[in-house]
Amino acid sequence: MAHGDETPLRSPTGCPISPRAAAFRPFERPYQEDPAAALAWARAEEPVFYAPDIGYWVVTRHEDVKAVFRDNITFSPRIALEKITPPTEEVQAILKRYGYNLQRTMVNEDEPDHMERRRLLMADFLPERLARHEPMVRRLTRAHMDRFIDRGHADLVAEIFRDVPLKVALHFLGVAEEDADELTRFAAAHTLNTWGRPTPEEQREIAENVGRFWQKANAILDRMIADPSGEGWMYETVRQHFRHPDIVPESYMRSMMMAILVAAHETTTLATANAFRLLLERRDAWEELCANPGLIPSAVEECLRMGGSIIAWRRIATREAEVGGVTIPEGGRLLLVMASANRDESHWENPEELDIFRDNAVEHLSFGYGAHQCMGKNIARMEMRVFLDEFTRRLPHMRLKPGQSFEGLCNIAFRGPKSLLVEWDPAENPERREPALRERAVSFPIGAPVKENILRRVVIVEAREEAEGVKSFLLADPRGRPLPGWSAGAHVDLVSGGFRRKYSLCSAPGEEGRWRIAILREAEGRGGSRHFCDALSEGAEVQVAGPRNHFRLDESAARYRLIAGGIGITPILAMADRLKVLGRDYTLHYCGPSRARMAFLDRVLADHGPRAQLHVSDEGTRLDLAGEFAAVTEGEQVYACGPARMLDALRELARGWPEGALHFEYFTTGAATLDPAREHAFEAVLADSGLVVEVAADETLYAALRRAGIDIQSDCGEGLCGSCEARVVEGEIDHRDRVLSRAERARGDRMMTCCSRAKGRRIVLGL
Ligand code: HEM
Ligand code: FES
């Protein structure tokens, strides 16, 4: 460490090491307690730094961690399972005695071998193949809960979270039931051996256990090799070994057998314990899940973001390269701290808040990213969802026992408590009143959560006639908490009676913490607006998704012209309110058939009177769009919402305006559904994950990507919102969305996967 005038410590590239970097101790508190908080300074000041204590470059920001994961050629994973604390000679001798020889598995293998093998062994991990394991997870979870449900207290790690993932892992792998305690001891030894900093004495005992673990894994494998006809992923691996010994060599199988027993088990045990701790510590979130189990998949992602069980992973630079502006020399070792990336202020809104409605939580990096992204992610997700569904239903009144410590194994990769003590009053168990509850499960499709299922319960606290055929509803949290803030242009999806429709938010000043929406009752529509207007009244509980904003107001323009057609006034009014608060120069054109049918007319006139121009058809003051908007000057921004024909006309006019001056929001595309007779199949090559996905003529690119296990998100599903966007590296795009501007389309480097397709037979995506 640098003192006074002494020469400061320097990194291998010769750069001075800052005092905080020099003081970074990953095996000690506060890092061991809360790695993300302990690295907040780094994210803000020195996002990539050299840590002399371990000889690694530490990468802390989401963007940088993802970029390193993405490029597994420059940043090789070959050190992922290397012992971070060099073994003593004595330890080496112990391991040798057991014949220990852990080499390449999947997770630390370089290309091209890795991808060839991964492809060959991927089938069992695909979403459609995993659903069949769920009944077993449920059965096991219920049976374990039965053992303690009437007792009133339990250690969830010891009594269920260790045992069930282990049994599921063994079943998935095809291994007969093994002694859980022994395997747990072995897994802990493997963790400390690889990622810990044990003392020489501790190392001895660890080495004995690692040696035994190696032998046990080999004995299991020998039995499989002798008769490879069994069911399970390891059997499949053995069969592939016989078919393709060059791609799946024996040394790989031996190493993999040991590594996968940990990868498939310990990770899920710890992630589940972390998730339950997080949710029980934030009682509101737990209660929300009890009331609304549909949120479980999104809660699991949010818990993986806040409390993933793998907090950091390693790569080594195969050539000199830059990460976050810092030069990493060839051979430089990198510690990618996913726990820090997952709480990076520059990527997440309110990163410190556990928000189970967060709809981009799936962007967490707890499963890694790219070619090596966790193959078992959907098994882990499924198990965690089943646990949460069973516990929130059968033990909603469960609480954390106060005063416990949540200590885990001291190491740089795996994180989770050794025990999790909970208690409850068995007399309150809902099953005592309603025994059938035990069997009432909610199942979720395998894979990343679907954005549209992230639904919040709200109650209608006011229903009001705003104009002929237009009703507005004021929505509030059922427990009286303020609803989250939103920005002008945002919308929510209203879900009720089997219908789901998008409505812009237009709460008036003074309605903070509550959301107002307005609905035009469309007599000839598809039934949603009729249902909402006719069946919903004050006191009704409904569900909403969002708020989301795909119609953001750029607050930096010099002048604004806002145009609303009919019910399109809702986002436009919110924008006008905002511009008024900001003191900006704006005009508001409001068009409608008659005053009686124009919602919020009073508000428009009272709040925006001097700036508002009304265009009322039955008064003969219809807006002359072509005349009024023939020209738009530089610095002026036009925001429009209204009927499709009005927006189409504006898009035509905007051809003569400065680029990017028109902003609009459609609520439907009117786009025809996919007609396979007129489409062609194509191939999507995924540059980051090394996969090739076939897209059939009758499916969307988005659906094909989800089928291949890629965690891409969609919201509108019809090219309106931009949430399903993918980077395009190569190939011509047949754009069918309404998100991208002409200039953006022309660049050809992004596409909306829910609707757009490849023009040719092949497209390369940055996924
Ligand atoms: C790889 C995390 C559960 C099997 C990985 C990686 C991480 C990870 C961080 C390295 C990713 C990279 O280098 O980009 C987790 C977490 C889990 C979990 C947090 C639980 C919450 C599972 C399960 C299985 C599994 C249940 C198997 C049944 C694998 C395999 C790889 C892997 C085979 C290597 C993939 C490759 O290198 O191509 N996991 N994992 N994991 N995981 Fe998981
Ligand atoms: Fe909205 Fe694709 S999901 S554009």
Side-chain angles (χ1 to χ4, degrees), residues 550 702 713-725 737 739 752-755:
H550 306 308
Y702 169 78
Q713 293 291 294
S714 141
D715 177 6
C716 70
E718 47 181 337
L720 297 169
C721 71
S723 52
C724 63
E725 179 178 313
D737 65 279
V739 178
M752 300 305 141
T753 57
C754 70
C755 57

Coordinates of all heavy atoms in Angstrom, one line a residue, residues 550 702 713-725 737 739 752-755, ligand 2:
H550 N -43.5 4.2 -23.6 CA -42.9 4.1 -24.9 C -43.2 5.4 -25.7 O -43.1 5.4 -26.9 CB -43.5 2.9 -25.6 CG -43.5 1.7 -24.9 ND1 -42.3 1.2 -24.4 CD2 -44.4 0.8 -24.5 CE1 -42.5 0.1 -23.7 NE2 -43.8 -0.2 -23.8
Y702 N -39.4 -13.7 -32.2 CA -39.5 -13.7 -30.8 C -39.8 -15.0 -30.2 O -39.2 -15.5 -29.3 CB -40.5 -12.6 -30.3 CG -40.9 -12.7 -28.9 CD1 -40.0 -12.1 -28.0 CD2 -42.0 -13.3 -28.4 CE1 -40.3 -12.2 -26.6 CE2 -42.3 -13.4 -27.1 CZ -41.4 -12.8 -26.2 OH -41.7 -12.9 -24.8
Q713 N -37.6 -10.2 -24.0 CA -38.9 -9.8 -23.4 C -39.7 -9.2 -24.5 O -39.3 -8.7 -25.5 CB -38.6 -8.8 -22.4 CG -37.9 -9.3 -21.1 CD -38.8 -10.2 -20.4 OE1 -39.8 -9.8 -19.8 NE2 -38.5 -11.5 -20.3
S714 N -41.0 -9.3 -24.3 CA -41.9 -8.7 -25.2 C -43.0 -8.0 -24.4 O -43.4 -8.5 -23.3 CB -42.5 -9.7 -26.2 OG -43.9 -9.4 -26.4
D715 N -43.6 -7.0 -24.9 CA -44.7 -6.3 -24.1 C -45.9 -6.3 -25.0 O -46.9 -7.0 -24.8 CB -44.2 -4.9 -23.7 CG -45.3 -4.2 -23.0 OD1 -46.4 -4.7 -22.8 OD2 -45.1 -3.0 -22.7
C716 N -45.9 -5.5 -26.1 CA -47.1 -5.3 -26.9 C -47.3 -6.5 -27.8 O -48.4 -6.8 -28.2 CB -47.0 -4.0 -27.6 SG -45.8 -4.0 -28.9
G717 N -46.2 -7.1 -28.3 CA -46.3 -8.2 -29.2 C -46.7 -7.7 -30.6 O -47.0 -8.6 -31.5
E718 N -46.8 -6.5 -30.9 CA -47.2 -6.0 -32.2 C -46.5 -4.8 -32.8 O -47.0 -4.0 -33.5 CB -48.7 -5.8 -32.3 CG -49.3 -4.9 -31.1 CD -50.8 -4.7 -31.2 OE1 -51.3 -4.8 -32.3 OE2 -51.4 -4.4 -30.2
G719 N -45.2 -4.7 -32.3 CA -44.4 -3.7 -32.9 C -44.6 -2.3 -32.5 O -44.3 -1.3 -33.2
L720 N -45.2 -2.1 -31.3 CA -45.5 -0.8 -30.9 C -44.6 -0.2 -29.8 O -44.5 1.0 -29.6 CB -46.9 -0.7 -30.3 CG -48.1 -1.1 -31.2 CD1 -49.4 -1.3 -30.4 CD2 -48.2 0.0 -32.2
C721 N -44.0 -1.1 -29.0 CA -43.4 -0.6 -27.8 C -41.9 -0.6 -27.7 O -41.3 0.1 -26.9 CB -43.9 -1.5 -26.6 SG -43.3 -3.1 -26.6
G722 N -41.2 -1.5 -28.5 CA -39.8 -1.5 -28.5 C -39.1 -2.4 -27.5 O -37.9 -2.5 -27.4
S723 N -40.0 -3.2 -26.7 CA -39.3 -3.9 -25.7 C -38.7 -5.2 -26.2 O -37.8 -5.8 -25.5 CB -40.3 -4.3 -24.5 OG -41.5 -4.8 -25.0
C724 N -39.0 -5.7 -27.4 CA -38.4 -6.9 -27.9 C -37.3 -6.7 -28.8 O -36.9 -7.6 -29.6 CB -39.5 -7.7 -28.6 SG -40.1 -6.8 -30.0
E725 N -36.7 -5.5 -28.7 CA -35.6 -5.1 -29.7 C -34.4 -6.0 -29.6 O -34.0 -6.5 -28.5 CB -35.2 -3.7 -29.4 CG -34.1 -3.2 -30.3 CD -33.8 -1.8 -30.0 OE1 -34.7 -0.9 -29.9 OE2 -32.6 -1.5 -29.9
D737 N -42.5 -2.9 -37.6 CA -42.9 -2.3 -36.4 C -43.3 -0.8 -36.6 O -43.2 -0.3 -37.7 CB -41.7 -2.3 -35.4 CG -40.6 -1.4 -35.9 OD1 -39.8 -1.9 -36.8 OD2 -40.5 -0.3 -35.5
V739 N -42.1 1.4 -34.3 CA -41.2 2.0 -33.2 C -40.1 2.8 -33.9 O -39.8 3.9 -33.5 CB -40.6 0.9 -32.3 CG1 -39.7 1.5 -31.3 CG2 -41.7 0.1 -31.7
M752 N -37.3 -5.2 -34.2 CA -38.3 -5.7 -33.2 C -38.6 -7.2 -33.5 O -39.2 -7.5 -34.6 CB -39.6 -4.8 -33.3 CG -39.4 -3.4 -33.1 SD -38.5 -3.1 -31.5 CE -37.4 -1.7 -32.0
T753 N -38.3 -8.0 -32.6 CA -38.4 -9.4 -32.9 C -39.8 -10.0 -32.9 O -40.1 -11.1 -33.3 CB -37.5 -10.3 -32.0 OG1 -37.9 -10.0 -30.6 CG2 -36.0 -9.9 -32.1
C754 N -40.7 -9.2 -32.3 CA -42.1 -9.7 -32.2 C -42.8 -9.7 -33.5 O -43.8 -10.4 -33.7 CB -42.9 -8.9 -31.1 SG -43.3 -7.2 -31.6
C755 N -42.4 -8.8 -34.4 CA -43.1 -8.7 -35.7 C -42.2 -8.7 -36.9 O -42.5 -9.2 -38.0 CB -44.0 -7.5 -35.7 SG -43.1 -6.0 -35.4
Ligands
FES2 FE1 -43.5 -4.4 -28.4 FE2 -42.2 -6.0 -29.9 S1 -43.1 -6.4 -28.1 S2 -42.4 -4.0 -30.2

